[in-house]
């Protein structure tokens, strides 16, 4: 058995030296306590403007009656409205993209039909060497040549291995390119710290179609497996999920993209119809939640804790990097103890052993409370999804770990729809059939070295949270 990887020790060094960069997390229990207690339905935005309270109530009651009794629709909505200005929009079509190939197919189709603009915000943008990757970058350049303006934001840390020549080729073709936080790490206010990352994955076409989730522009989603190797030495394919949104909610994705573009001092964007008149495309209610820097802006964290807190019947989560903080752990264990069917699918093999060991430190407490944990076989799991009570669903970029919760720019779409939740449940069941359950009695028998690694890794996670904004003068 190998000892702790030297890379793990390297990762520990910044925290020993107090070079953390995470902001404190908000107390969601206080947010819930301070949220107004009301019997009114949440405000709902249509293509014609805000619905009247009576119209909103009728719509929410109809949705409530379509599923088993649950208070999540009203109670969760009141909490999110107290911290977010992003509206709940009606009339959206939400299409679940169950894996990387499905996502790329949807992206290609949307880009091919673009007539005005294409806005892409991504953590990783690779110079993909396979046929699919070359086709994508070539297609973007082709659309730019046809007069469709392409605007790209990529994260400096997530794309650090991509050659500068790749982005220069895009610029030479007329594509506007912005590098998010190009100096990473950086010195700010006299302190050395790791710059914030843009972990979002968003593509918006003509202001009418938005695609978001966990899928980067990366060769790991190509037809040939390229993930870590399994026990037999075979490389694993990546397993991810996105969602395509059409309808009024697309404008909220556009606002997030343009806000990031402005904050990163991108070129002035003009003469494009970034906010076209939109029409209703479906029956889903959608709220778009984006997290940015600062304790008050960690909206996807508040979303997760509040939704878990108000779950009444079922809670089915899939998450790639599961390192829950104390608030998430309490919400999950409390849910299991009050009888909610809590199941979480986690990666069996990962590309980030630090996150896996740190998360495993909490498995015993979760299992003892009644939370059921599963490890997905034969893939590199990268999805970040959750479906609650057969009606509330989210797909996005937010991992269940400290960087996503407290530091990165993230985005999640929350979909209120019985039909979409049924698709999410079907996907979850298919993944569950390909997973192995972690049982408490067997888990207790794991090797001592694993327990040491888990303790060591969660200590790093703890330091990364508590040493925020400290460092050398």
């Amino acid at each position: 058995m190998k000892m702790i990887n030297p890379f793990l020790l390297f990762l520990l060094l910044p925290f020993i030296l107090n070079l953390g960069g995470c902001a404190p997390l908000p107390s969601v229990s206080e947010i819930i306590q301070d949220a107004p207690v009301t019997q009114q339905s949440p405000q709902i935005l249509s293509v014609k403007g805000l619905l009247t309270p009576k119209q909103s109530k009728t719509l929410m009651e109809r949705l409530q009656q379509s599923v088993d009794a649950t208070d999540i629709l009203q109670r969760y909505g009141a909490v999110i409205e107290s911290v977010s200005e992003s509206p709940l929009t009606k009339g959206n079509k939400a299409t679940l993209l169950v894996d990387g190939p499905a996502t790329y197919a949807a992206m290609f189709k949307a880009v091919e039909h673009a007539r005005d603009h294409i806005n892409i915000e991504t953590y990783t943008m690779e110079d993909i060497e396979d046929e699919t990757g070359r086709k994508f970058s070539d297609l973007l350049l082709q659309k730019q040549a046809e007069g469709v303006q392409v605007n790209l934001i990529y994260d400096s840390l997530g794309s650090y291995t991509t050659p500068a020549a790749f982005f220069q080729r895009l610029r030479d073709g007329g594509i506007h390119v912005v590098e998010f936080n190009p100096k990473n790490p950086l010195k700010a206010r006299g302190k050395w710290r790791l710059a914030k990352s843009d972990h979002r994955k968003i593509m918006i076409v003509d202001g009418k179609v938005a695609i978001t989730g966990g899928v980067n522009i990366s060769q790991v989603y190509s037809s040939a497996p390229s993930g870590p190797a399994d026990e037999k030495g075979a490389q694993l394919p990546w397993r991810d999920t996105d969602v395509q949104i059409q309808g009024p909610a697309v404008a909220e994705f556009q606002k997030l993209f343009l806000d990031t573009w402005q904050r990163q001092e991108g070129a002035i964007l003009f003469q494009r119809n970034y906010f076209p008149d939109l029409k209703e495309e479906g029956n889903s209610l959608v709220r778009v939640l984006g997290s940015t820097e600062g304790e008050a802006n960690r909206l996807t964290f508040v979303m997760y804790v509040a939704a878990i807190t108000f779950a009444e019947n079922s809670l089915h989560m899939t998450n790639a990097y599961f390192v829950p903080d104390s608030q998430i752990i309490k919400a999950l264990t409390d849910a299991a103890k009050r009888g909610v069917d809590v199941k979480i699918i986690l990666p069996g093999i990962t590309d980030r052993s630090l996150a896996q060991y740190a998360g495993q430190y909490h498995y015993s407490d979760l299992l003892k409370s009644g939370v059921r944990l599963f490890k997905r076989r034969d893939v590199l799991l990268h999805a970040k999804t959750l479906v609650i009570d057969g009606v509330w669903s989210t797909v996005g970029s937010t991992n269940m770990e400290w960087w996503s919760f407290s530091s990165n720019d993230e985005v999640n779409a929350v979909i209120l729809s019985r039909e979409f939740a049924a698709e999410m449940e079907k996907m979850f069941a298919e993944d569950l059939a390909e997973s192995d359950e972690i049982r408490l009695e067997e888990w207790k028998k794991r090797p001592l070295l694993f327990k040491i690694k888990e303790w060591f890794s969660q200590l790093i996670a703890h330091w990364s949270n508590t040493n925020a904004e400290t460092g050398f003068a």
Side-chain angles (χ1 to χ4, degrees), residues 63 72 74 88 112 123 133 146 210 233 241 265 315 326 344 409 443 463:
L63 181 60
I72 191 171
Q74 182 167 322
L88 181 63
E112 288 169 351
Y123 180 64
E146 292 174 0
T241 302
E265 300 179 352
L315 189 160
S326 59
I344 305 175
D409 280 15
W443 182 247
W463 280 339

Side-chain angles (χ1 to χ4, degrees), residues 7 122-127 154-164 167 179-182 184 197:
F7 182 64
T122 186
Y123 180 64
T124 301
M125 183 80 175
E126 291 182 350
D127 183 8
Y154 72 92
D155 186 72
S156 60
L157 183 62
S159 305
Y160 76 97
T161 61
T162 304
F167 296 110
E179 180 182 7
F180 187 94
N181 281 354
N184 197 339
S197 284

